[in-house]
Amino acid sequence: MADHFEQPRHSAGPGHHIADGRNVILGNQGSRGSDVFFAAVQMTRMPMCLSDPHAPDNPLVFVNAAFCELTGYSEKEIIGRNCRFLQGERTGQEAVAAIGAAIRERRDISVELYNYRKNGTGFWNALFLSPVFDAHGSLLYFFGSQIDITKRREAEAMLERSQRMEALGSLAAGVAHEFNNLMTIVAGSLEQAASQPSSQRQTTQLQRAAWAADRAGRLTQQMLSFSRRQFHDPRDAELSELVRGMDSLITQSATPGTQVDIALDGNLLPIRIDSGQFELAILNLVRNAVDAMPAGGTLRVCTRRAGDGLAALEVEDSGEGMPPEILRRATEPFFTTKPPGSGTGLGLSMVHGFAEQSGGRLEIESVPGKGTKVRLLLPIASP
């Protein structure tokens, strides 16, 4: 950055003028004092700026090196422009309006707003703006200082989301337990009715009711798993053997025109998981993969070593794939792109919760038009 900004000498108001970036005379201040002041402002790590309210559109007439570093603009690209060039799509208009009101009323203001750097990346800016008056009370400049508070805002957003998920989890747990109790009664009554002589029509109705009760029970298990209040009973198990025991269910889940390819590594070390929840997780992944290929395609299920003490289950489809904006929300509870009645939005959320509960993690790769690969990584059991 240059030692001083290139700004034409001009009158900026009563009792002061701008000579250069290191010598602004305010009222009766001497140049030596102003030199020291501007040297200090230039060296500080806090971004600072001055704007001239007497010039058209209140342009910036001074910025320090920290301001240029924060925004990515050079001094020459900044001087003479109104600071709104840092604003963009996500900049809150309420904050902008509050700044405008403070400038018109010549008073202090502190506000947090979303700004943009030269390269297009955004950051949260805590702006402190104050009017500067001379000894006679005449307005000279507006002085602004900024702090990049992006990390703080992101941490607050994560905490808020965590609290919402905790509240939602509590609600899901309560509803699921009550729902489960009711469905136990329904299932028992259906079983008793099915054991008695009935017409073919009654038999069909009972079968449909039993199917609905079974589906409701599966939804209950998903809600319990999502809320992470379901009893977790981890035991040592061999990953490939667990999948092999479900190969018929996996094959039956596929629609006509779907080729199922199951490749299992027979040399995997045991993992420690809840087998019941793991089977439910597989079924959810397979169901999602099949739904992504309404016209058929290839469904691939495999197990393998993943390094770092992990074993991997991969479920891959050749279906529609997901664009980035959908992929980012794929594990969000109750988020689904399926038509009403076709999905609850809890499948991937449940698998994600199960993975974390088991000490592992869930990874998703997806390319629109080419398909999706979901990788469930689970820790190998300690010897």
Side-chain angles (χ1 to χ4, degrees), residues 299-316:
L299 169 65
R300 184 170 184 270
V301 179
C302 74
T303 59
R304 63 177 181 83
R305 292 176 179 267
D308 298 326
L310 298 171
L313 165 73
E314 293 183 349
V315 178
E316 184 176 4

Side-chain angles (χ1 to χ4, degrees), residues 8 13-14 59 98 123 141-142 155 158 186 302 309:
F123 65 97
Y141 304 102
F142 273 98
M158 290 180 63
V186 172
C302 74

Side-chain angles (χ1 to χ4, degrees), residues 20-42 50 62:
D20 59 44
R22 292 191 299 179
N23 185 19
V24 174
I25 301 175
L26 307 181
N28 295 321
Q29 291 185 22
S31 61
R32 180 177 180 182
S34 60
D35 280 344
V36 173
F37 169 76
F38 271 90
V41 170
Q42 284 282 21
L50 282 176
F62 170 81

Side-chain angles (χ1 to χ4, degrees), residues 11 172 370 376:
S11 175
K370 294 187 177 180
L376 179 59

